[in-house]
């Protein structure tokens, strides 16, 4: 008796169905990988087009945003300190 026949008769598993399932999983994985590759390529191409169209280099834009964030943080901290109870004038 062959091993695949033993598998089919002893365990009740249909070898053909197991093989079909394995093939379908492989095909699904290949299709998923192809979709991932195509999607990644589209995102990269869009990013390159955006960088070419943009007047400001991304590094300069990041530095400008960082400076704005830093200044906003300082202003917020100063406003918080000015409003703290230690700086508030109580009844004389």
């Amino acid at each position: 008796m062959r091993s695949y026949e033993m598998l089919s008769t002893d365990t009740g598993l249909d070898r053909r169905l197991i093989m079909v399932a394995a093939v379908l999983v492989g095909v699904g994985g290949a299709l998923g990988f192809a979709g991932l590759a195509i999607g990644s390529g589209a995102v990269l191409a869009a990013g390159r087009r955006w960088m070419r169209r943009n007047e400001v280099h991304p590094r300069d834009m990041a530095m400008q945003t960082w400076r704005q964030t830093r200044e906003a943080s300082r202003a917020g901290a100063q406003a918080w300190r000015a409003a703290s109870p230690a700086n508030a004038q109580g009844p004389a």
Side-chain angles (χ1 to χ4, degrees):
M1 188 177 268
R2 295 183 180 150
S3 62
Y4 68 87
E5 289 173 352
M6 251 179 27
L7 179 67
S8 296
T9 58
D10 289 351
T11 61
L13 292 174
D14 188 351
R15 180 177 178 265
R16 286 177 289 160
L17 286 178
I18 299 295
M19 293 301 293
V20 168
V23 168
L24 288 174
V25 167
V27 169
L31 286 174
F33 181 74
L36 182 66
I38 291 170
S40 298
V43 168
L44 287 174
R48 286 189 191 119
R49 282 191 305 271
W50 176 77
M51 284 182 64
R52 276 189 240 120
R53 256 192 342 254
N54 204 357
E55 294 177 7
V56 180
H57 192 275
R59 179 187 52 219
D60 297 334
M61 187 182 303
M63 290 300 294
Q64 179 182 8
T65 304
W66 173 248
R67 281 192 293 270
Q68 290 171 346
T69 303
R70 195 173 50 209
E71 290 301 318
S73 177
R74 283 186 192 143
Q78 287 175 354
W80 179 74
R81 283 190 208 108
S84 68
N87 291 336
Q89 296 180 359

